[in-house]
Amino acid sequence: MGDLVARASHGDADDPLASFRDRFTIPPDWIYLDGNSLGLPARTMRERLEQVVGEWEREAVLGWEHWLAMGSAIGDELAPLIGGGPGEVAVCDQTSVNLFKLASAALSASGRTTIVSDRGNFPSDLYILDGIAKAAGGRLVLLPEDPSPAMVAEALDNDVALVSMSHVSYRSGRMHDAAAITALAHDWGALMLWDLAHSAGSVSVDLDGWGADLAVGCTYKYLNGGPGSPAFLYVRTDLHDKLQQPIAGWFGHADQFGFAEEFAPAHSVRRFLVGTPPIISMTATREGIAITREAGMQAIRTKSVALTSLLIEAVDALDPSLGVSVVTPREPAERGSHVAISHSEAFRVSTALRRRGVIPDYRAPDVIRFGVAPLYTRFADVTSAVAILEDVLTTGAHLTGSDPTSSVT
Amino acid sequence: MGDLVARASHGDADDPLASFRDRFTIPPDWIYLDGNSLGLPARTMRERLEQVVGEWEREAVLGWEHWLAMGSAIGDELAPLIGGGPGEVAVCDQTSVNLFKLASAALSASGRTTIVSDRGNFPSDLYILDGIAKAAGGRLVLLPEDPSPAMVAEALDNDVALVSMSHVSYRSGRMHDAAAITALAHDWGALMLWDLAHSAGSVSVDLDGWGADLAVGCTYKYLNGGPGSPAFLYVRTDLHDKLQQPIAGWFGHADQFGFAEEFAPAHSVRRFLVGTPPIISMTATREGIAITREAGMQAIRTKSVALTSLLIEAVDALDPSLGVSVVTPREPAERGSHVAISHSEAFRVSTALRRRGVIPDYRAPDVIRFGVAPLYTRFADVTSAVAILEDVLTTGAHLTGSDPTSSVT
C-alpha cells in the first residue's frame, strides 16, 4: 500500500483539476465516494438559487420571458459534454419519463414491437421498456448483464424496434462499446437509445459520432445538479420530425401559446417536452453543467481513469483472505467512473465504512460501489478509503457495528 | 366608482387575511393580478431553499433518507386543501405528465376508449387526452366550452371510459358543479378526472365528497410553489390497486430498492410516481402549501368571492362605450378566483395595463384575465386596477403605446 499512497500523493500534486475541489461544498471529515449516486453542490449554488428567487420576486410571471426557453438553452449547454449538436438536447422531466417518451416514440414510428436490453440496465429502465413493449403487443428481450456486442448482435432481427442500454452499467461500472452496438442496431433497422445516467460528466460520450439515435440521462450524479434535478434527452436532428412522443403537452406544441384545438408538434427537440419545467431545480442543474464545461470532459475522463486504476490496484493489493474482489472491468476503456467490488457481507461492510466516514453505496446482494468524481475526488481519498476498508475487514468492524442505515441511490 | 372605492377600503380594513400579504414578496409598484398564472414567493422562500441546499451540503446522498418520501409527505399536506384523505395525494412530475398517467390508467382499466371533455379545458389537457384516446383506438369527444351538467349527460354512453374537465376554466373562470358532473360520469360507469390547476388554493375543493376518482393540478398558481413547481395527483384510495399507469418507473415499485427484475406496483398512491423528484423545487412547493394551510381554505374562498364580486361590479360600472364586458359568471358559486373580461383590443389593452403597473394576462383572441389571490391581493388593488383600465380605455393609451411584450402563462 505504501507505493500506492506515494502515487496518490503525486497524483494530487500534479492534478490539473485539483482546484475544482474548492468549488464544491464537501461534508467535512467524509471521504465521499458516492458522486455516482448524488453529486455535491457547487459553492456558488446558494448564490444561483438566490438569483432565481430574486427573478421570481422581481419579475413574477414576466420571468417566463426568459425561463421559457431554459430547457432548450441548458440542453445546448449540456450538448458538447455528450457529443450532441445544437438543438439536439433538452433538459426536462426525469430520466424515467424521458425514456418512456423516446422509447414509445421509437416503437410507434417503426411499427415493430420488440425492444432489446440487458439485465445490467437500470431496473427502472427495464420496467419502463417492458411496459412499453407489452403495451405494443411485443416484448422486451433481456440479454445477460453487460453483454458483448456479439451477444447483442445475436438478439437482433427484423422485429426489433429499439435497442436500449445503459452506456455505463449502474452496477458493474462496465462501459459498453457504444459505436459498435449502435452500428449493430442500425444493421437491423432498429433505433439505439443510450441511458447516460452514469456517463454524462464522467466519461467521453460522442452521441453524434456514434451515430446514436436517442439518449436520456440524469444531471444529479456527475453533473452535480442537485437531488432529483431535471433530466435530459437527446434526439438526433434528422429524427425530430420522424418521431412523435405520446405525451402531447403544450411545451411540445409548435405554437405553444396559440392554444389551437389540435396538437401540432414543434419541428425541433421541443416536441419532446411536455409541461412547465421546475425553474428553481433547473437553475441548480445549469450551475452543475457550467462547472463541468469549465473543467472539460477530456481532463475529467483522464483523471477518472487514473483514479479508478489506483482504486482497482489498491483493492487488488488487499489480502485475499479478506474476501474482496473487483467486479468492474480492469481495462480502462471498458469502465466508467465507479468501481464495484464484491464481498459476501457487502451491506454490513458498506455500513461500517459509512460509520468511519467513507461514503460508498451498496447494491444488493453483494456489491459496494466506490464512485470517483474527478471534480472533487482526490487520489488520496482513494487510498485512504481502501485503507479503511482493509481495517474494517481485518478487525471485523462490519460484524460488530450498530444497526445499519438504509442505502439509497 | 366612489362607492366601490369606499367598499374596498372597508374590505381591506376588515380583512382577516390582511396580514398574509406581508408574508410574500410583491414587486413594488405593481398591482399583481396574475397569481392565477404564477403565484408570488413567500418571504421565507430564500430561507427554505438555503435549508435544503444545506441538507445537500451536509448530508449529500444520505439526504435521501428523508427526501425519498417527500412526494407522499407533501401530498398529505396538500390533501386537506382539496378534500383528499391521507395517502390519496402525491406531489410529483408536471400536471401534463400526471394527467397522462391517470387518464391512460383509466382507459386501460375500463377497456373503453372514449374520453369526454370540453373546449374550455386547458389546451395541453386536450392534446394529451386526444393522444391517449386515439392511441387506444378511440376518440376524444369535445363539448362546447364550459358545458352544463345536462350537456355532459348527453355526451355519455357505455363507451365512455373517462370524463376529464378543468374544475375552474383557465379562460372563462367558470367553476363547474363537480359533484353533479362526477355523479353523471359514474351513472355511465365512467371515471371522473378533475384538473384543479385553477382551483387548488383558491376555491373549495372536496374530491372525496364529490366522489371524484382522479385529479391533477399544479402548485405554481394559487399555491405559490414557484415557477414550474412540481404538480400533484389524486387517486381515490379504493382505486389504487385497480389502476396501473403506463410509466413503470422505480418510484412506483412496491420495493423500490429491491431492484427486482419485474415491476410490481406499490399498493398505494406511490404507484403513480415515476422517477426521482426535484427536491429543491419540491421544497419551494412545500412552503407555498404550508402558508395556504395556515390561512385556511374557507377564509381564502370567502375573500376570493368578495374580491371577484367587487371586480365584476367595478367593470360593470364602466361606461358601455368603452367596450368591456365580463365573461366570467356573475353567480359566485359558478366562478373561481379570476375574472375574465372581453375587449376587441384585449392584447393591446393588457399591454397598456402592464405599462401602467397592472399585471393581468391575455388569452387570445379577446380575453384579459384578472386573477385575485386572497393571500396577497387587496380590495384596493381591484378598484385601482379597474380605475387604470378605465383610464387606459378612455385615453386610448392602448392604441398609442410602444411594442407589446409577449404574454405567458
Side-chain angles (χ1 to χ4, degrees):
Chain A
M1 200 71 181
D3 281 359
L4 295 173
V5 169
R7 219 172 88 198
S9 175
H10 286 119
D12 286 323
D14 298 340
D15 177 11
L17 295 179
S19 67
F20 278 88
R21 182 173 165 90
D22 294 332
R23 309 277 293 275
F24 293 87
T25 303
I26 299 168
D29 309 323
W30 278 10
I31 297 176
Y32 190 68
L33 297 174
D34 209 4
N36 51 312
S37 185
L38 179 63
L40 297 178
R43 288 191 184 276
T44 45
M45 196 57 77
R46 287 167 184 257
E47 184 189 335
R48 288 293 169 277
L49 295 180
E50 292 257 327
Q51 283 171 352
V52 73
V53 175
E55 290 171 8
W56 179 16
E57 289 171 342
R58 285 188 310 276
E59 304 170 34
V61 71
L62 303 187
W64 280 112
E65 284 168 19
H66 50 99
W67 297 329
L68 203 65
M70 262 179 92
S72 307
I74 305 178
D76 280 341
E77 290 159 15
L78 170 59
L81 299 176
I82 55 174
E88 291 187 317
V89 180
V91 170
C92 56
D93 296 313
Q94 305 308 119
T95 310
S96 293
V97 171
N98 287 334
L99 179 77
F100 176 82
K101 291 186 289 187
L102 299 192
S104 298
L107 260 66
S108 296
S110 73
R112 303 178 182 186
T113 60
T114 301
I115 301 175
V116 171
S117 188
D118 79 285
R119 292 195 159 82
N121 201 352
F122 190 60
S124 193
D125 290 36
L126 297 180
Y127 305 150
I128 284 168
L129 295 171
D130 186 54
I132 292 170
K134 282 184 179 148
R139 68 197 182 102
L140 173 64
V141 174
L142 269 189
L143 295 168
E145 186 173 344
D146 300 339
S148 65
M151 291 164 72
V152 175
E154 278 180 43
L156 294 171
D157 60 34
N158 285 327
D159 294 328
V160 177
L162 181 71
V163 179
S164 183
M165 293 171 62
S166 288
H167 177 229
V168 173
S169 163
Y170 83 101
R171 195 177 142 83
S172 67
R174 174 180 290 273
M175 181 162 72
H176 293 283
D177 184 340
I181 292 174
T182 300
L184 290 169
H186 289 173
D187 285 346
W188 287 94
L191 295 182
M192 184 74 221
L193 191 166
W194 289 105
D195 184 334
L196 303 175
H198 286 270
S199 306
S202 74
V203 303
S204 303
V205 176
D206 186 14
L207 289 168
D208 284 348
W210 298 342
D213 304 290
L214 308 166
V216 298
C218 86
T219 65
Y220 52 72
K221 298 177 187 289
Y222 298 103
L223 291 172
N224 304 298
S229 57
F232 64 86
L233 56 78
Y234 159 96
V235 181
R236 207 181 56 233
T237 301
D238 64 287
L239 293 173
H240 290 175
D241 280 349
K242 294 178 185 158
L243 298 179
Q244 194 155 340
Q245 55 104 348
I247 317 179
W250 64 324
F251 269 69
H253 199 290
D255 180 15
Q256 183 180 356
F257 290 96
F259 289 161
E261 198 168 300
E262 296 288 322
F263 184 73
H267 297 289
S268 70
V269 77
R270 277 214 306 110
R271 69 167 54 193
F272 303 100
L273 305 181
V274 179
T276 316
I279 296 301
I280 298 178
S281 281
M282 295 275 278
T283 300
T285 303
R286 183 171 226 163
E287 186 64 5
I289 290 169
I291 295 184
T292 308
R293 281 171 61 108
E294 203 184 320
M297 281 313 305
Q298 195 172 345
I300 287 172
R301 174 61 176 163
T302 300
K303 183 176 174 188
S304 168
V305 167
L307 285 164
T308 52
S309 295
L310 182 67
L311 180 47
I312 289 171
E313 283 182 63
V315 172
D316 281 346
L318 296 177
D319 192 291
S321 69
L322 297 179
V324 170
S325 63
V326 172
V327 172
T328 300
R330 288 156 196 286
E331 175 59 45
E334 292 176 8
R335 68 174 184 259
S337 204
H338 74 265
V339 173
I341 67 168
S342 72
H343 187 277
S344 58
E345 293 284 354
F347 183 66
R348 287 170 156 189
V349 173
S350 69
T351 306
L353 287 172
R354 285 189 181 186
R355 282 197 302 267
R356 297 281 296 270
V358 176
I359 315 294
D361 67 11
Y362 162 75
R363 283 294 172 264
D366 63 351
V367 162
I368 303 173
R369 303 189 302 184
F370 293 93
V372 298
L375 294 181
Y376 52 78
T377 303
R378 296 169 299 200
F379 290 88
D381 292 334
V382 165
T383 47
S384 297
V386 177
I388 293 169
L389 171 67
E390 181 177 34
D391 190 63
V392 163
L393 292 170
T394 305
T395 61
H398 59 294
L399 302 173
T400 57
S402 55
D403 283 339
T405 56
S406 67
S407 166
V408 178
T409 282
Chain B
M1 200 72 181
D3 280 0
L4 295 174
V5 169
R7 218 173 90 198
S9 175
H10 287 117
D12 285 321
D14 297 340
D15 177 10
L17 295 179
S19 68
F20 278 88
R21 182 173 165 89
D22 293 333
R23 308 277 294 274
F24 292 88
T25 303
I26 299 169
D29 308 323
W30 277 10
I31 297 176
Y32 190 69
L33 296 174
D34 209 4
N36 52 312
S37 185
L38 179 64
L40 296 179
R43 286 191 186 277
T44 45
M45 196 55 78
R46 287 167 183 260
E47 184 188 335
R48 287 293 169 277
L49 294 180
E50 292 257 328
Q51 284 171 351
V52 73
V53 174
E55 290 170 9
W56 179 16
E57 288 172 342
R58 286 189 310 276
E59 304 169 34
V61 71
L62 303 187
W64 280 111
E65 285 169 17
H66 49 99
W67 297 328
L68 202 64
M70 263 180 92
S72 307
I74 305 178
D76 280 343
E77 290 159 15
L78 171 60
L81 299 176
I82 55 173
E88 291 188 317
V89 180
V91 170
C92 57
D93 296 313
Q94 305 308 120
T95 310
S96 294
V97 171
N98 287 334
L99 179 77
F100 176 82
K101 290 185 288 188
L102 299 192
S104 297
L107 260 66
S108 296
S110 73
R112 303 178 182 185
T113 60
T114 301
I115 302 176
V116 171
S117 188
D118 79 286
R119 292 198 159 82
N121 201 350
F122 190 61
S124 193
D125 291 35
L126 297 181
Y127 305 149
I128 285 168
L129 295 170
D130 186 53
I132 292 169
K134 282 184 180 150
R139 69 198 181 103
L140 172 65
V141 174
L142 269 189
L143 294 167
E145 186 172 345
D146 300 341
S148 65
M151 290 163 73
V152 175
E154 279 180 45
L156 293 170
D157 60 35
N158 285 325
D159 294 329
V160 176
L162 181 72
V163 179
S164 183
M165 293 170 63
S166 288
H167 176 229
V168 173
S169 163
Y170 82 102
R171 193 178 143 84
S172 66
R174 173 179 290 274
M175 182 162 71
H176 293 282
D177 184 340
I181 293 174
T182 300
L184 289 169
H186 290 173
D187 285 346
W188 288 94
L191 294 182
M192 184 75 219
L193 192 166
W194 289 105
D195 183 334
L196 303 175
H198 285 269
S199 307
S202 74
V203 301
S204 303
V205 176
D206 187 15
L207 290 168
D208 283 348
W210 299 342
D213 305 290
L214 308 165
V216 298
C218 87
T219 66
Y220 53 73
K221 298 177 185 290
Y222 297 103
L223 292 171
N224 304 300
S229 58
F232 63 86
L233 56 78
Y234 159 95
V235 181
R236 205 180 60 234
T237 301
D238 63 288
L239 293 173
H240 290 175
D241 279 349
K242 294 179 186 158
L243 298 179
Q244 193 155 339
Q245 55 104 346
I247 316 179
W250 64 321
F251 269 68
H253 199 289
D255 179 16
Q256 182 178 356
F257 290 95
F259 289 162
E261 198 168 299
E262 296 288 321
F263 184 73
H267 297 289
S268 70
V269 76
R270 276 215 304 110
R271 69 166 56 192
F272 304 100
L273 305 181
V274 178
T276 316
I279 296 303
I280 298 177
S281 281
M282 295 277 278
T283 300
T285 302
R286 183 171 226 163
E287 187 65 4
I289 291 169
I291 294 184
T292 309
R293 280 171 62 107
E294 203 184 321
M297 280 313 305
Q298 196 172 346
I300 288 172
R301 173 61 176 163
T302 300
K303 182 176 174 188
S304 167
V305 167
L307 285 164
T308 52
S309 296
L310 182 67
L311 179 48
I312 289 171
E313 284 183 63
V315 172
D316 280 346
L318 296 177
D319 192 292
S321 69
L322 298 180
V324 170
S325 62
V326 172
V327 172
T328 301
R330 287 156 196 288
E331 175 59 46
E334 292 177 9
R335 67 173 183 259
S337 204
H338 75 264
V339 173
I341 67 168
S342 71
H343 187 279
S344 59
E345 293 283 358
F347 183 65
R348 286 171 156 188
V349 173
S350 69
T351 305
L353 288 171
R354 284 189 182 186
R355 282 197 301 267
R356 299 280 297 271
V358 177
I359 315 293
D361 68 11
Y362 163 75
R363 283 294 172 261
D366 63 351
V367 162
I368 303 173
R369 303 188 304 184
F370 293 94
V372 298
L375 294 180
Y376 52 77
T377 303
R378 296 169 298 199
F379 289 88
D381 292 334
V382 165
T383 46
S384 297
V386 177
I388 292 169
L389 171 67
E390 181 177 33
D391 189 63
V392 163
L393 293 171
T394 306
T395 61
H398 59 295
L399 301 173
T400 57
S402 55
D403 284 339
T405 55
S406 67
S407 167
V408 178
T409 282

